Amino acid sequence: MIRRKIYSVAAAGLLCIMGATAQINTGQLDGRQNTITTAVPFLMITPDARAGAMGDVGAATPNDINAIHWNASKLAFMEKNGGISVSYTPWLRQLVPDVSLSYLTAYGKINDKSAIGGSLRYFSLGEIQFTDITGNSMGNFNPNELAADLAYSQKLSDNFAVGIAFRYIYSNLAGGATNVAGIKAGQSFAGDITAYYTNKARYKGYKVNYGFGGAITNIGNKVTYTTAQQENFIPINLRLGTYGQVEIDKYNTIAFTVDFNKLLVPTPPKYLLNANGTFATDQNGDKIIESGKANNVPIVQGMLQSFSDAPGGFKEELNEINISTGLEYWYDKQFALRAGYFHENQYKGNRKYLTMGAGLRYNVFALDIAYLISFQQRNPLDNTLRFTLSFDFDAFKTQKEGNENKNGVFEAPAN
């Protein structure tokens, strides 16, 4: 018999995520608490500090080097020919020092109408020490998850683009760490379908830039951590958003953006109870559904029924929509201040928090930071700074050519 000794509180995060991989049993739902859970929830963590400072928005924000996570279509509208970005997000930092999300992304313009990009995210859940029944060490293990993406974006007109992304997902929460049979790493392949529209206008003498974005992300096969094929949905998500920016004058701009998110994953049903409080079952031994629909269904069926399967009806379906709003102020396209708010219904997780942050653009690099303050319940990112550092390939090239010209390398010979 093997028992696990928690070496860090990261193990608690591991247990929470493993619990989240199984759809919850709901026997006494009254239209209230009914949270939708999925496997690999790390895919929904905001990876970059710019979006993190604006309430976790990203469906329609322009000039987004981290567009693959939010809406790959935006890559075709990037102003530069290429760039690379690295982000670091501490997780549960007030409790443990070794849980974090790292994100690396890069893109390149193929031509004026198309672009390609790739990204890699790695979620480390800290270190766990395993011991036998007598307390002897059986080694340490670092549960971790990762996702590798490849994306392509194509303009269909001067103002409209579509995009696709392909994703490999690997989740090793306990596989290989113990001698317990039947535990393995979970794997999945997924894809995104995205669209983006952007345009410019004038309103009362002011220049206005605006955009609309939509994305269905993480469309992929279910994940299992056991040989018993107890499969669980990954977080297939519908994201819709809009963005508007007003140029106040030559140096000052201010923008507002809002996103709406809904998981395209079946809602757990309400099961019928016997008089003694146990689940009522049919002749096959299956629990009887009192309201809602069965959630152990194929992927496409689950996506479609996610709009109409909540036990509480249409009102509960509306409760499953999360709202993110953000503000962004730029001075001279070099310094930014940001703020945002994220709202989730109290019966669907109850996450409510303010975000804030800043950004700096200087020559070849850009630095963004974000900070979160939660309201209703503690958040793993409470009182934590997140960072994103980006590099502009065009600026590198221009700076290099300038230095070479200065040294006379490319100077024309005298006539």
Side-chain angles (χ1 to χ4, degrees):
M1 180 177 181
I2 298 176
R3 68 180 178 88
R4 283 183 273 189
K5 178 180 180 181
I6 298 179
Y7 179 77
S8 73
V9 183
L14 167 62
L15 296 176
C16 291
I17 290 178
M18 294 188 71
T21 62
Q23 301 299 314
I24 60 176
N25 290 328
T26 51
Q28 300 184 24
L29 294 178
D30 56 0
R32 294 181 178 273
Q33 191 66 34
N34 192 14
T35 305
I36 299 174
T37 58
T38 70
V40 292
F42 82 103
L43 294 176
M44 297 299 291
I45 299 174
T46 295
D48 65 289
R50 181 193 180 193
M54 294 193 292
D56 298 341
V57 298
T61 48
N63 301 321
D64 184 6
I65 195 171
N66 298 285
I68 296 177
H69 174 79
W70 302 103
N71 183 343
S73 302
K74 299 190 295 182
L75 291 176
F77 290 100
M78 294 294 290
E79 296 178 350
K80 306 296 183 178
N81 287 323
I84 187 170
S85 172
V86 59
S87 302
Y88 180 74
T89 302
W91 195 255
L92 290 171
R93 184 45 51 94
Q94 291 186 315
L95 299 178
V96 291
D98 56 352
V99 181
S100 63
L101 174 70
S102 301
Y103 187 66
L104 174 68
T105 184
Y107 80 94
K109 297 289 287 291
I110 299 174
N111 50 49
D112 186 55
K113 292 186 176 294
S114 59
I116 191 171
S119 68
L120 177 67
R121 86 186 75 193
Y122 177 77
F123 189 43
S124 172
L125 284 158
E127 187 178 58
I128 299 177
Q129 183 183 47
F130 290 83
T131 63
D132 60 20
I133 194 170
T134 61
N136 297 316
S137 175
M138 299 181 64
N140 298 332
F141 177 61
N142 177 220
N144 60 85
E145 299 177 295
L146 65 85
D149 305 341
L150 181 64
Y152 174 77
S153 175
Q154 175 69 49
K155 287 184 181 179
L156 301 183
S157 71
D158 290 340
N159 305 106
F160 180 71
V162 295
I164 55 174
F166 301 97
R167 181 167 299 112
Y168 169 69
I169 304 162
Y170 178 81
S171 177
N172 191 11
L173 299 182
T178 71
N179 294 324
V180 179
I183 303 297
K184 63 179 182 179
Q187 300 184 70
S188 179
F189 291 93
D192 302 347
I193 301 174
T194 66
Y196 183 61
Y197 175 85
T198 183
N199 210 335
K200 299 180 180 180
R202 279 190 173 274
Y203 180 73
K204 294 185 178 181
Y206 293 103
K207 293 181 179 179
V208 178
N209 303 316
Y210 62 93
F212 303 93
I216 302 177
T217 58
N218 302 318
I219 307 170
N221 58 288
K222 299 179 183 180
V223 167
T224 180
Y225 296 96
T226 67
T227 56
Q229 299 301 308
Q230 296 179 351
E231 297 179 321
N232 305 278
F233 278 90
I234 64 175
I236 306 171
N237 184 75
L238 171 64
R239 177 179 294 112
L240 300 174
T242 185
Y243 172 92
Q245 181 191 63
V246 178
E247 296 184 15
I248 301 173
D249 55 35
K250 181 180 179 180
Y251 298 101
N252 300 277
T253 64
I254 189 168
F256 175 78
T257 183
V258 59
D259 278 10
F260 301 90
N261 285 274
K262 186 185 188 310
L263 284 173
L264 302 186
V265 176
T267 305
K270 178 181 178 181
Y271 294 106
L272 184 66
L273 295 178
N274 295 313
N276 60 2
T278 61
F279 289 113
T281 58
D282 59 21
Q283 58 185 3
N284 297 320
D286 297 325
K287 289 181 287 188
I288 299 174
I289 295 176
E290 181 178 348
S291 59
K293 299 179 181 179
N295 57 354
N296 186 21
V297 296
I299 298 168
V300 175
Q301 181 180 340
M303 292 174 61
L304 295 175
Q305 81 172 44
S306 66
F307 293 98
S308 60
D309 62 354
F314 183 68
K315 181 179 180 181
E316 186 175 347
E317 293 291 350
L318 291 178
N319 289 343
E320 293 177 357
I321 299 175
N322 298 333
I323 303 174
S324 304
T325 59
L327 285 172
E328 183 177 50
Y329 164 79
W330 277 99
Y331 175 76
D332 199 22
K333 296 183 179 180
Q334 292 185 328
F335 178 72
L337 291 175
R338 305 182 178 107
Y341 177 71
F342 180 92
H343 174 86
E344 182 177 59
N345 186 271
Q346 59 181 323
Y347 305 131
K348 293 296 178 177
N350 202 28
R351 290 176 297 166
K352 296 179 177 66
Y353 49 83
L354 279 175
T355 60
M356 60 190 71
L360 176 67
R361 303 289 182 267
Y362 182 75
N363 290 338
V364 300
F365 80 92
L367 176 65
D368 297 302
I369 59 174
Y371 189 80
L372 182 148
I373 304 172
S374 61
F375 289 133
Q376 297 298 326
Q377 60 183 25
R378 297 305 300 269
N379 189 291
L381 292 172
D382 269 337
N383 304 315
T384 300
L385 285 176
R386 290 178 277 176
F387 300 91
T388 295
L389 185 62
S390 307
F391 297 91
D392 177 3
F393 290 165
D394 284 358
F396 269 122
K397 182 179 179 181
T398 300
Q399 187 178 69
K400 179 181 178 181
E401 291 176 348
N403 291 335
E404 290 175 337
N405 282 321
K406 182 178 179 180
N407 294 330
V409 176
F410 294 125
E411 288 184 355
N415 291 329

